[in-house]
């Protein structure tokens, strides 16, 4: 809190500055725009910020210190001074063997964590030989049909030495079971397995549509994973509650915070309703945010989200364990901001976005390759993206002090504004019955679509400049080195799948699938039978179909 007399002096001095110094310059030259706003247009950016803009802020209660509530300045006392963020690079290259090669390349080049992309059939719970998989096998990531594929992906990679993030949602339990099975085969104790499964199904209903089962059944699978991992793999993050895809779909920064934390509230409540204790599973929750180009808005977004989650977990759910209140998050630079025109410009965009994530206190970071608007990234672009993080860590000084933008009148004011707007959105979500109801009624989707439409109109009308797209264009583009998926890969993947089916014990597989169905019809935890099923080489599609037989498939209302 500032001294009232001092604030009066600042207000008077500002008024004098506006009259005597600013006005003559404005009258003569004006400003570039009539109005300045943050990147997503949610907040108006004032010409100048002073202590008066944060006059009501209480430092200890609203900002505090790193590692202490309300965690505005970070969840750990030393943050990046003690340990740098995990440098993950998203990879999934058609076949398991190619993905293993890329993973080893990243490790050799200094990546401290792996991030695994799956093709669309895997994400939808289909095998590579399914009719629905035709033409998509290995196209958006690696094709995983059985445990054999995962064995190839992690060949020579000790799971007790790496942390692996898996971007998988509807069949998350199946891929987690495979990872656990690989660890068992390597002799790694389950409590030493580290990583994250995305496992955020509400975001699929909102932004990506890669769901399988109805919401109620999907939530049951998620809470079963919470319970299983709390006992078996306590160092593995059971969910990465994702605002990334919400922002990619077009949301504002405030909407990204609100809808992401709203999903988190829904998951916590579902787990409590299932009989779990909040402090048993909440420390394993993690979040996944986007980083866009406006550095100050992004930093304020991360700070506001941390503070909000601490309040939500204490006030709403009565969490007592400090780890239950700490919002730990992974960041990926904004894929939707990358352009096919002048791809070299994307290196600059990614650099600024990565800086925002680090200044905002991220726990891990993926930097996009410059060519991801065109194809899967090449080895060279992946190396440049990784080097971007390494230069940021070791040459920029951005990691040398904690929360360096704290105390900025602008950043503190913007943090407060984003928090207030996000809480207003959450209040509206509550009035609509919570995130599940708000999603099923399509209200959340409409809010995002409206913003996305307005933004696109601004670009087309030239009101929003995208360098190289609607301004500063060039007539010719150099040929880009494109990473392509060989069409023969799909044929070879089907052959490998058939070979596994020919070798395995069919009776063991049938018994394992029957056990999954029986468990799905009961209240028992589904993870143990799923782990046993993957160990006898039941496929992703077979396990997903067993659950489809019991749960059905989701068809959204229009």
């Amino acid at each position: 809190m500032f001294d009232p007399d001092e604030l009066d002096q600042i207000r008077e001095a500002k008024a004098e500055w506006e009259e005597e110094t600013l006005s003559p310059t404005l009258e003569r030259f004006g400003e570039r725009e009539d109005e300045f706003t943050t990147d997503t247009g949610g907040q108006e950016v004032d010409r100048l910020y002073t202590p008066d803009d944060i006059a009501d802020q209480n430092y200890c209660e609203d900002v505090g210190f790193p590692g202490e509530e309300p965690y505005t300045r970070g969840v750990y006392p030393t943050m990046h001074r003690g340990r740098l963020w995990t440098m993950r690079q998203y990879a999934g290259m058609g076949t398991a063997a190619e993905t293993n090669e890329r993973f080893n390349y990243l490790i050799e080049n200094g990546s401290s964590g792996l991030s695994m992309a799956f093709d669309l059939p895997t994400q939808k719970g289909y095998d590579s030989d399914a009719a629905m998989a035709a033409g998509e096998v290995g196209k958006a990531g690696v094709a995983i049909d059985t445990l054999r594929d995962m064995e190839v992906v992690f060949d020579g990679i000790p799971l007790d030495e790496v942390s692996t993030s898996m971007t998988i949602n509807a069949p998350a339990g199946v891929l987690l079971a495979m990872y656990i099975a690989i660890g068992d085969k390597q002799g790694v104790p389950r409590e030493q397995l580290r990583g994250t499964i995305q496992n955020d199904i509400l975001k699929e209903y909102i932004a990506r549509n890669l769901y399988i089962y109805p919401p109620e059944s999907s939530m049951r699978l998620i809470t079963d994973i919470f319970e299983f991992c709390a006992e078996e793999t306590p160092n593995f993050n059971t969910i990465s509650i994702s605002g990334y895809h919400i922002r990619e779909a077009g949301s504002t920064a405030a909407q990204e915070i609100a809808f992401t934390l709203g999903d988190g509230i829904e998951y916590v409540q579902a787990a409590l309703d299932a009989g779990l204790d909040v402090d048993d599973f909440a420390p394993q929750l993690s979040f996944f945010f986007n980083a866009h180009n406006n550095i100050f808005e992004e930093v304020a977004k991360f700070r506001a989200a941390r503070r909000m989650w601490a309040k939500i977990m204490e006030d709403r759910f009565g969490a007592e364990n400090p780890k239950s209140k700490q919002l730990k998050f992974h960041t990926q630079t904004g894929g939707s901001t990358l352009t096919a025109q002048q791809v070299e410009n994307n290196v600059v965009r990614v650099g600024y976005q990565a800086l925002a994530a680090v200044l905002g206190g991220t726990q891990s970071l993926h930097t996009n390759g410059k060519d991801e608007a065109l194809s899967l990234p090449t080895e060279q672009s992946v190396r440049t993206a990784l080097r971007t993080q390494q230069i940021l860590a070791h040459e920029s000084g951005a990691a040398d002090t904690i929360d360096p933008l704290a105390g900025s009148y602008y950043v503190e004011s913007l943090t407060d504004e984003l928090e207030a707007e996000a809480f207003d959105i959450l209040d509206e979500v509550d009035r609509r019955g919570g995130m599940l109801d708000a999603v099923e009624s399509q209200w959340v989707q409409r809010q995002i679509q409206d913003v996305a439409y307005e933004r696109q109109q601004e670009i087309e009308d030239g009101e929003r400049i995208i360098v190289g797209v609607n301004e500063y264009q060039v007539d010719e583009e150099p040929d880009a080195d494109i990473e392509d998926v060989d069409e023969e890969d799909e044929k070879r993947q089907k052959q490998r799948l058939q070979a596994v089916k020919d070798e395995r014990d069919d009776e063991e597989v049938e018994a394992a699938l029957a056990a999954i169905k029986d468990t799905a019809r009961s209240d028992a935890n589904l993870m143990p039978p799923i782990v046993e099923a993957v160990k006898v080489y039941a496929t992703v599609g077979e396990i997903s179909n067993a659950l489809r037989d019991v749960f059905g498939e989701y068809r959204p209302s229009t």
Side-chain angles (χ1 to χ4, degrees), residues 134-208:
E136 291 293 341
V137 175
K139 288 292 179 68
V142 62
I144 298 293
D145 292 315
T146 70
L147 182 61
R148 184 69 47 80
D149 292 319
M150 288 288 271
E151 290 169 348
V152 173
V153 167
F154 291 99
D155 182 37
I157 300 175
L159 298 195
D160 55 347
E161 296 179 14
V162 301
S163 168
T164 304
S165 174
M166 294 185 280
T167 304
I168 194 72
N169 296 285
V174 183
L175 276 299
L176 172 62
M178 289 184 177
Y179 196 78
I180 290 169
I182 295 293
D184 289 349
K185 283 177 173 286
Q186 290 186 2
V188 178
R190 292 183 177 181
E191 61 269 18
Q192 290 186 19
L193 295 176
R194 293 179 297 113
T196 304
I197 45 172
Q198 194 163 100
N199 200 27
D200 179 3
I201 204 63
L202 287 176
K203 166 263 302 167
E204 296 297 332
Y205 300 123
I206 294 170
R208 289 181 80 235

Side-chain angles (χ1 to χ4, degrees), residues 268-276:
V268 172
Q269 189 60 56
L272 295 177
D273 291 344
L276 305 185

Side-chain angles (χ1 to χ4, degrees), residues 20 74 85 96 135 147 183 200 258 300 378 380 434:
E20 297 182 4
W85 62 93
L147 182 61
D200 179 3
T378 63
Q380 183 181 20

